[in-house]
Amino acid sequence: MTTRRTRPAPRPPEGTPPPAELARQARTVLADAVRIAHWAAGGTGPGSAPLAAQALERAAAALELSPAQVRAGWDRARLAGLVEIHGTTARPGWRLRAWDRDDSAVLRGWVALFDAWSLVHASPEGVEATAVAEAIEAVPQVLSLLQLSAGPVTVPALLDLLGQRVAELHEERCEVPYGPQERPVPVGERSDGLNALLLDWALEGLASVGALTLGAGHATLTPLGNWAVWVKLEQICVAAQSPAGNIEQSAADMLLGCARLTPGPARAEYRAWLAARTVGSAVAELLAVARGEDALLRGLAFEALRVVGAPAEPVVRSVVTEAPLRPYALLWLAEYEGTDPDDAQDVLSREEATWLWVDTAAAVADHGETGLLVRHLDSAVQGTVPALLEEVRAAGHPRTVQVLVALAAAHPDPALAKAVRRAAFQVHTGGV
């Protein structure tokens, strides 16, 4: 057994307001979003996003807001996890239910909005998606400079940093032009005008979610923005000091490194790994791992997605139609919507629960101990082994034969092991 040296709880920068004050500020930023979420959850039915024209008009009249304010507030409510869409029905998110009494829920909701700033503020027209993506990837460095400066930073200084980071991204990707060139022009020179446009867009987007304020030629982090950037930098520092160094690993290697950690330390590793990446790229990488053949990594990927929270909800909802991911996605969504984890299994059909049982057994067979596979029998929804074997054969899981063979080899009861081996042979040969 290894022991880990504990690290004192880090203290936020001097002058950071207490959590209650930060939560008050977050409530102010999201005040319109909360009003719209309560209106939507009250049964008036805004339908699916974006709001239908009739619902937009009703909300504007009821809340005495302009249609533009309603549309913006609606987007923020969804991104902050205040409201959820199920088909054509809007339901209150768990954060909305806890909004007035739970400061930590408020801050998590605001951080979800902060992480999604590029979705709140439409990107400039006529700019290629690649250039926009590069600017988004460079923004963490801009925020770090603002946080370390502890005061106003001039726009030219921020523009210089953005240009340097974009140039580094080009160099990392080996973007060397092919064919005859009239004159080789450095990326920074060629893109100054574009970088200035994208920096203005990013600063305006971050200001719109309450992360910074804009002055005449300078930008300053708000207390909320300063605290959020500090938290993310601290997560990166913690991960960098961890023995495994998971922050630099791919999603698959990071998850394997966390496989034997208890839930608390594992979630801390997930948070640090996520903090070093954009939300979109992290979620995409985790789902790519979940689609792989390793069942253990599939389950761990969805555990990491639970740490992502609201920004992952639309993507998780979109994979419900993928059979291998469906049980995991349904459980994730149920827990995200406030269902007790002990009761979340009720959202699965019997067939889905059986498929998940086989997938979990495959993870245990590949990475666990023999005794765990035997004890895994107790978690099946079927009341008897014969019923389980019958439904497992019908589930169509690609690892069914291997799981049954491993279970037969591990089980101490000769009669039961024989029945399991027979079932494995029948699946293998296509018999009944």
Side-chain angles (χ1 to χ4, degrees):
M1 181 179 294
T2 60
T3 58
R4 287 180 139 189
R5 181 176 299 174
T6 57
R7 184 171 182 263
R11 298 178 63 86
E14 186 176 353
T16 302
E21 171 59 20
L22 290 172
R24 186 195 67 77
Q25 295 177 19
R27 287 185 175 98
T28 300
V29 172
L30 285 162
D32 284 351
V34 170
R35 292 181 64 202
I36 293 168
H38 279 300
W39 174 84
T44 45
S48 58
L51 266 72
Q54 293 181 346
L56 186 65
E57 294 173 1
R58 291 200 306 271
L63 301 173
E64 297 182 348
L65 297 172
S66 70
Q69 288 175 314
V70 172
R71 189 178 292 107
W74 174 249
D75 289 340
R76 292 172 180 230
R78 295 182 70 242
L79 291 169
L82 296 170
V83 67
E84 300 159 4
I85 299 298
H86 302 264
T88 58
T89 304
R91 296 179 187 171
W94 70 269
R95 285 191 180 120
L96 183 62
R97 295 191 289 270
W99 196 253
D100 294 328
R101 55 180 171 78
D102 188 340
D103 289 345
S104 64
V106 172
L107 291 174
R108 286 195 295 270
W110 181 83
V111 169
L113 178 66
F114 169 66
D115 287 338
W117 68 267
S118 59
L119 302 179
V120 173
H121 194 56
S123 59
E125 295 184 4
V127 178
E128 291 184 359
T130 302
V132 173
E134 288 170 350
I136 294 171
E137 195 169 348
V139 159
Q141 279 73 25
V142 172
L143 290 170
S144 296
L145 176 60
L146 285 163
Q147 198 270 339
L148 293 171
S149 299
V153 179
T154 64
V155 170
L158 297 175
L159 179 59
D160 183 58
L161 178 60
L162 181 73
Q164 291 180 30
R165 181 56 185 147
V166 170
E168 289 172 359
L169 292 172
H170 289 179
E171 185 175 347
E172 290 169 4
R173 294 164 187 158
C174 299
E175 293 186 359
V176 180
Y178 289 90
Q181 302 292 317
E182 293 183 2
R183 181 179 68 88
V185 180
V187 171
E189 291 182 17
R190 187 173 62 243
S191 305
D192 275 351
L194 178 59
N195 285 342
L197 176 64
L198 289 170
L199 177 64
D200 288 344
W201 165 69
L203 294 178
E204 290 169 1
L206 290 163
S208 72
V209 298
L212 53 81
T213 57
L214 298 176
H218 65 266
T220 310
L221 285 177
T222 64
L224 269 176
N226 187 67
W227 166 79
V229 176
W230 170 79
V231 168
K232 293 181 181 296
L233 289 173
E234 183 62 28
Q235 290 172 343
I236 293 173
C237 292
V238 170
Q241 295 177 9
S242 69
N246 287 315
I247 188 173
E248 298 178 357
Q249 303 296 324
S250 66
D253 290 340
M254 180 274 294
L255 293 171
L256 281 176
C258 296
R260 295 192 178 277
L261 297 178
T262 54
R267 284 192 293 270
E269 293 287 338
Y270 299 153
R271 291 189 186 98
W273 185 86
L274 292 163
R277 291 158 177 79
T278 61
V279 174
S281 64
V283 171
E285 193 174 348
L286 289 169
L287 282 178
V289 172
R291 292 186 175 101
E293 297 181 358
D294 194 323
L296 175 66
L297 294 185
R298 187 161 25 255
L300 292 174
F302 275 87
E303 287 299 319
L305 287 169
R306 284 178 171 82
V307 174
V308 177
E313 184 263 342
V315 182
V316 172
R317 197 173 294 281
S318 72
V319 303
V320 167
T321 56
E322 300 181 31
L325 304 186
R326 179 176 173 80
Y328 294 96
L330 290 175
L331 291 175
W332 190 99
L333 290 167
E335 293 179 28
Y336 172 75
E337 292 164 5
T339 302
D340 189 292
D342 293 335
D343 300 327
Q345 291 278 345
D346 295 341
V347 305
L348 301 181
S349 68
R350 195 175 178 95
E351 293 77 11
E352 291 160 352
T354 302
W355 197 99
L356 182 60
W357 185 91
V358 179
D359 207 48
T360 306
V364 174
D366 289 343
H367 301 276
E369 300 174 357
T370 300
L372 290 176
L373 190 59
V374 175
R375 291 196 293 275
H376 185 55
L377 277 172
D378 297 334
S379 66
V381 296
Q382 293 79 7
T384 65
V385 171
L388 170 65
L389 294 177
E390 180 179 353
E391 295 185 31
V392 163
R393 288 200 300 267
H397 194 289
R399 295 290 303 281
T400 298
V401 173
Q402 293 94 324
V403 164
L404 293 178
V405 169
L407 181 58
H411 207 284
D413 184 336
L416 190 147
K418 181 178 179 181
V420 174
R421 278 194 299 273
R422 184 184 303 116
F425 177 77
Q426 290 170 344
V427 174
H428 178 63
T429 58
V432 181

